[in-house]
């Protein structure tokens, strides 16, 4: 665990892709930076939820997995030596002589000249699959960490949203078989992904639900009931992916006095919040016309850093010049 610095120029709360890019950009501007995250590893929700899933809407990358994206962002920021405070939760915000101070759950206090909130959706908890209670780590997973874990296995995916269909498409060529179980016959996933999965070999059990999971030491089989006619069938599987979504909340940030709109933080065109020297970027930020994409978050955190830089040093220029102009 990194030693907690007493003071930094910029404290970034959230170590997902937007926070990591913010660490690079703050370093590029010559600002001492620390990044804090309640999760024990860098990458935020990308690493926790879909490290092996291909991402297609990052500029300059026709396709990149979440894991590789995070590795590249960490390498990009590395020359500027940001301090990473992982497994720490930012709890309270105060001010000392007009400068923000953030206290963590372990009682440490970090002074900063600016704070940038890049906490994504906040903390998140997967919605459970009640029939599989007790099988966590024994065949039941809510997020896929390693594709190789599913090689030559019979996999059941429960859900009808983007994650369920993305995993079905990704695992189809890897697993022995893939079965998708959804309680309705309509899906929330992107139409193109649904069509691609339907053209493949994935078995679709719609208007259905998993009612029982069995196995001595790990998942072996389960009962699936058709909710329309009540007919049940046994489905063999060594792995279940419960892609049922997750619940989110801001946690302690909700008590900081920020201007909130439906669990998001309202910002202006500088990415500034209603609190002095506190900015927000990425999915957690809200303004008219907001589009929640990683690509959008990258631009937002650059705006936040550049505007914070002029508050930290009133003589600093808002636009620092292009990175190509910097000395190699």
């Amino acid at each position: 665990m990194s030693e907690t610095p007493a003071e930094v120029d910029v404290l970034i709360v959230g170590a997902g892709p937007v926070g990591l890019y913010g660490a690079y950009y703050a370093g590029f501007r010559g600002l001492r930076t620390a990044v804090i995250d309640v999760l024990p590893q860098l990458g935020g929700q990308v690493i926790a939820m879909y490290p092996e899933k291909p991402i297609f809407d990052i500029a300059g990358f026709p396709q990149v997995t979440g894991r590789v994206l995070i590795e590249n962002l960490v390498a990009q920021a590395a020359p500027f030596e940001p301090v990473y405070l992982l497994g720490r939760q930012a709890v309270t915000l105060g001010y000392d002589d007009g400068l923000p101070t953030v206290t963590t759950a372990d009682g440490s206090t970090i002074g900063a000249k600016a704070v940038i909130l890049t906490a994504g959706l906040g903390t998140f908890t997967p919605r459970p699959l009640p029939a599989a209670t007790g099988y966590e780590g024994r065949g039941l997973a809510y997020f896929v960490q390693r594709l190789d874990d599913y090689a030559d296995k019979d996999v059941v995916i429960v859900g009808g949203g983007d994650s369920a269909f993305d995993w079905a498409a990704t695992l189809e060529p890897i697993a022995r078989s893939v079965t998708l179980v959804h309680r309705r016959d309509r899906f929330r996933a992107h139409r193109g992904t649904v069509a691609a999965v339907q053209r493949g070999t994935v078995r679709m059990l719609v208007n259905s639900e998993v009612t029982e999971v069995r196995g001595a030491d790990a998942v072996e089989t389960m009962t699936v009931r058709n909710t329309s006619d009540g007919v049940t069938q046994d489905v063999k599987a060594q792995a279940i992916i419960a892609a049922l979504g997750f619940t989110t909340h801001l946690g302690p940030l909700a008590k900081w006095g920020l201007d909130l709109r439906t669990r998001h933080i309202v910002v202006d065109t500088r990415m500034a919040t209603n609190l002095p020297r506190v900015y927000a970027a990425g999915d957690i930020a809200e303004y008219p016309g907001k589009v929640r994409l990683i690509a959008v978050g990258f631009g937002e955190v650059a705006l936040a850093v550049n505007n914070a830089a002029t508050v930290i040093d009133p003589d600093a220029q808002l636009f620092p010049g292009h990175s190509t102009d910097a000395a190699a």
Side-chain angles (χ1 to χ4, degrees):
M1 181 179 292
S2 298
E3 183 177 349
T4 306
E7 293 182 355
V8 292
D9 293 320
V10 175
L11 176 63
I12 297 174
V13 180
V18 173
L20 293 174
Y21 186 66
Y24 154 74
Y25 210 94
F28 172 67
R29 292 227 53 167
L31 302 171
R32 293 175 298 119
T33 305
V35 183
I36 185 171
D37 199 297
V38 70
L39 295 176
Q41 71 280 332
L42 295 171
Q45 295 153 10
V46 169
I47 289 299
M49 295 168 59
Y50 51 91
E52 299 297 339
K53 185 186 294 185
I55 304 172
F56 300 98
D57 56 3
I58 303 298
F61 291 89
Q63 175 179 320
V64 62
T65 65
R67 192 181 306 280
V68 171
L69 175 63
I70 296 303
E71 289 173 353
N72 288 347
L73 287 164
V74 172
Q76 186 179 24
F80 304 108
E81 300 182 343
V83 176
Y84 295 116
L85 306 172
L86 303 177
R88 314 270 190 101
Q89 185 177 41
V91 176
T92 63
L93 171 73
Y95 286 88
D96 184 3
D97 289 333
L99 299 180
T101 60
V102 172
T103 301
T104 64
D106 63 4
S108 301
T109 299
I110 308 166
K113 297 175 183 176
V115 174
I116 302 176
L117 305 176
T118 59
L121 300 174
T123 59
F124 54 95
T125 304
R127 291 191 174 96
L129 178 62
T133 299
Y135 283 94
E136 292 85 353
R138 299 194 296 135
L140 170 66
Y142 292 98
F143 309 118
V144 174
Q145 292 296 314
R146 292 176 297 274
L147 295 178
D148 289 347
D149 291 345
Y150 298 89
D152 201 34
K153 288 184 178 179
D154 300 301
V155 180
V156 170
I157 300 172
V158 184
D162 284 318
S163 291
F165 275 86
D166 286 345
W167 287 127
T170 301
L171 292 173
E172 181 184 9
I174 297 171
R176 181 186 302 125
S177 69
V178 176
T179 301
L180 190 144
V181 179
H182 185 45
R183 59 182 177 175
R184 292 189 291 269
D185 59 2
R186 290 179 294 178
F187 309 107
R188 303 182 309 278
H190 188 278
R191 290 182 180 179
T193 309
V194 172
V197 169
Q198 290 175 329
R199 289 193 299 268
T201 63
V202 174
R203 182 187 183 193
M204 312 279 286
L205 299 180
V206 298
N207 295 320
S208 298
E209 60 183 3
V210 177
T211 59
E212 184 183 4
V213 175
R214 296 178 296 279
D217 299 317
V219 173
E220 296 177 4
T221 186
M222 69 196 68
T223 299
V224 176
R225 183 177 70 90
N226 186 294
T227 56
S228 298
D229 56 23
V231 174
T232 63
Q233 60 178 301
D234 287 342
V235 177
K236 181 175 68 172
Q238 298 82 51
I240 304 172
I241 301 169
L244 301 171
F246 48 88
T247 58
T248 64
H249 57 88
L250 286 177
L253 297 183
K255 300 179 180 180
W256 282 18
L258 294 156
D259 184 4
L260 301 178
R261 184 177 303 159
T262 318
R263 300 192 307 276
H264 297 108
I265 300 169
V266 177
V267 296
D268 61 18
T269 56
R270 300 168 299 151
M271 309 310 298
T273 72
N274 61 304
L275 300 180
R277 295 177 179 255
V278 178
Y279 301 79
D283 284 355
I284 202 169
E286 175 65 26
Y287 52 82
K290 169 75 178 192
V291 177
R292 287 182 169 81
L293 293 172
I294 294 174
V296 172
F298 288 156
E300 291 173 347
V301 79
L303 282 171
V305 169
N306 282 317
N307 280 282
T310 64
V311 173
I312 293 170
D313 178 6
D315 293 328
Q317 297 293 317
L318 175 63
F319 177 56
H322 297 103
S323 61
T324 51
D325 298 328

